[in-house]
Amino acid sequence: MRRSTLVTRALACAALACAAVALILVFARYDAPAPRWDILSALGGAAVAAAGWALACRTAPPLGPASQAATDSATPLPRKLPLPARDAGRATGAVLIALTPFTLTRLAAGTRGGILSGLVIILVFIVTVKAIGFARRQVSQADQRRKLRVLAEDAGKGEVHAVRVRLGEPVRMRYLKRGDKPGELNVTQFHWLVLRAGEREIRLAAPPDEVGRAALLLGGQEGWLCWPERWKLIEDELPAAFVADSGEVLMGLTDPDEARPYLTGTHRADPGDGTARHLPRTAKFQAPVHTPILGGAFLAALIAAPVLYFGSDDLPAALSWLLCALAAAAIVTGAIRGTREATQSLPEGLSWKVVEESDPSIA
């Protein structure tokens, strides 16, 4: 894992901005004459910025341990717990990829119009909206953020339960169950950090990137693990925050049964007046994940280049639609492959403990 720098963030923003401009220009200047140098220039800028971003991420400083100035004694709990930052770059990239097939449909239609072209545009638009909505529901963390907000509010009032713990190893658990088709397995993966309070172990679950960062930066450190005072008003997993003595915080969810022994007045801590800090951001590029995505986008741009250079009105209609359909297929295929790799890959730079469990019906 490598640190996020000003250069990596600037190049990522530039690549996304150029890609967004290219998509917007298809609609804003749909009747502009060919060749479409404006769109081709935006796509070229996106390609250069994306390549620079990948290189900058690979050469960024490696992520090292957090501040070694942690005190030997227990530090007071802070009153301000920052909620996990939203990944705006990843969300923006996903939306741009989802909108690309619709944009290519508009590009293929050109200015010739026609009932059939209009119907295809409307159909692809509906599919795009439904796909974005489905993806949003699949990755939504709204319920988790609402729980974490309760914890942050209670910490601000000085009303939390807490226990001293030592941070242990990161764990990936693969849960196997019967798949949708006969003979197939469905694998669900969970990630957590093991926190040790004396002889007990508590699992703090969070996204794999955050778990990996915390394990790499804070491995072996002691700190407070805290829960909200209003934990009885929260269903299922309980929100919790590990606040290391060095000041960094990791927020996630814990099993109620593992937390219950500490949710009493005897384990209540009085927060101090400090503010916990987010873990340092890391460079996002992962070759197994982003190479298929960027490769699919680059291939799509190459396939659609003749339409942009000669113009969809000057090419045979069948050829324009074929090229744009192939370009859409290329970018969708790349995105699917990258997403599949994202569910399998783990952050680099540390050793994970991998365990497997099976549904009792297939064990």
Side-chain angles (χ1 to χ4, degrees):
M1 301 180 74
R2 296 183 178 273
R3 291 183 178 273
S4 173
T5 65
L6 180 61
V7 174
T8 60
R9 294 193 292 272
L11 288 171
C13 289
L16 293 173
C18 288
V21 167
L23 298 186
I24 292 171
L25 286 173
V26 173
F27 294 92
R29 302 187 64 210
Y30 69 92
D31 56 350
R36 295 299 305 272
W37 293 117
D38 52 350
I39 299 178
L40 290 169
S41 298
L43 291 175
V48 172
W53 168 71
L55 179 61
C57 288
R58 301 301 292 180
T59 57
L63 196 67
S67 172
Q68 299 298 316
T71 58
D72 294 332
S73 58
T75 57
L77 274 169
R79 283 190 177 273
K80 293 184 179 180
L81 294 175
L83 293 176
R86 299 180 186 273
D87 196 337
R90 184 173 296 174
T92 302
V95 170
L96 292 178
I97 290 174
L99 290 175
T100 299
F102 174 59
T103 306
L104 288 167
T105 303
R106 183 65 189 87
L107 178 64
T111 60
R112 288 177 290 211
I115 296 178
L116 182 59
S117 296
L119 289 176
V120 173
I121 291 174
I122 293 173
L123 176 61
V124 175
F125 176 75
I126 293 173
V127 172
T128 300
V129 172
K130 289 187 175 293
I132 292 176
F134 175 78
R136 185 176 182 275
R137 290 191 297 272
Q138 291 295 109
V139 302
S140 175
Q141 296 183 340
D143 184 61
Q144 178 176 336
R145 290 188 71 86
R146 284 193 288 266
K147 291 182 178 182
L148 295 178
R149 190 171 290 111
V150 172
L151 173 56
E153 291 172 355
D154 284 2
K157 299 174 184 177
E159 299 174 349
V160 296
H161 299 287
V163 63
R164 293 289 295 176
V165 296
R166 180 180 293 275
L167 189 146
E169 68 275 8
V171 178
R172 163 180 275 185
M173 194 265 280
R174 290 165 45 88
Y175 186 75
L176 311 178
K177 58 183 179 180
R178 188 181 293 110
D180 297 330
K181 297 179 180 179
E184 288 188 354
L185 282 175
N186 188 10
V187 181
T188 304
Q189 305 194 78
F190 303 91
H191 305 82
W192 65 74
L193 276 170
V194 175
L195 303 174
R196 295 182 173 85
E199 299 299 320
R200 296 177 182 268
E201 289 188 352
I202 306 169
R203 297 172 294 177
L204 180 61
D209 289 347
E210 295 183 25
V211 170
R213 274 188 296 169
L216 187 61
L217 290 167
L218 309 176
Q221 280 201 35
E222 293 188 355
W224 289 105
L225 180 63
C226 55
W227 295 270
E229 174 72 12
R230 294 174 287 170
W231 66 272
K232 291 183 180 180
L233 304 179
I234 299 175
E235 295 182 356
D236 302 323
E237 295 113 333
L238 297 179
F242 171 70
V243 185
D245 288 340
S246 56
E248 286 82 6
V249 62
L250 172 68
M251 302 185 77
L253 300 175
T254 56
D255 188 316
D257 293 334
E258 295 176 354
R260 192 164 285 111
Y262 310 103
L263 302 177
T264 63
T266 56
H267 293 91
R268 188 164 171 168
D270 294 324
D273 297 324
T275 301
R277 303 187 301 272
H278 283 298
L279 292 165
R281 289 190 288 184
T282 54
K284 301 296 184 183
F285 179 77
Q286 293 179 277
V289 176
H290 292 99
T291 298
I293 296 174
L294 296 178
F298 182 70
L299 180 59
L302 287 180
I303 294 173
V307 182
L308 294 170
Y309 184 79
F310 295 105
S312 57
D313 293 335
D314 296 329
L315 289 175
L319 180 59
S320 295
W321 283 100
L322 176 61
L323 290 175
C324 289
L326 291 175
I331 197 165
V332 170
T333 301
I336 292 175
R337 289 179 57 195
T339 302
R340 187 182 300 117
E341 288 293 334
T343 63
Q344 303 295 327
S345 63
L346 289 170
E348 303 172 349
L350 69 159
S351 177
W352 288 71
K353 179 180 179 181
V354 179
V355 298
E356 283 194 359
E357 291 187 10
S358 300
D359 186 284
S361 64
I362 65 172

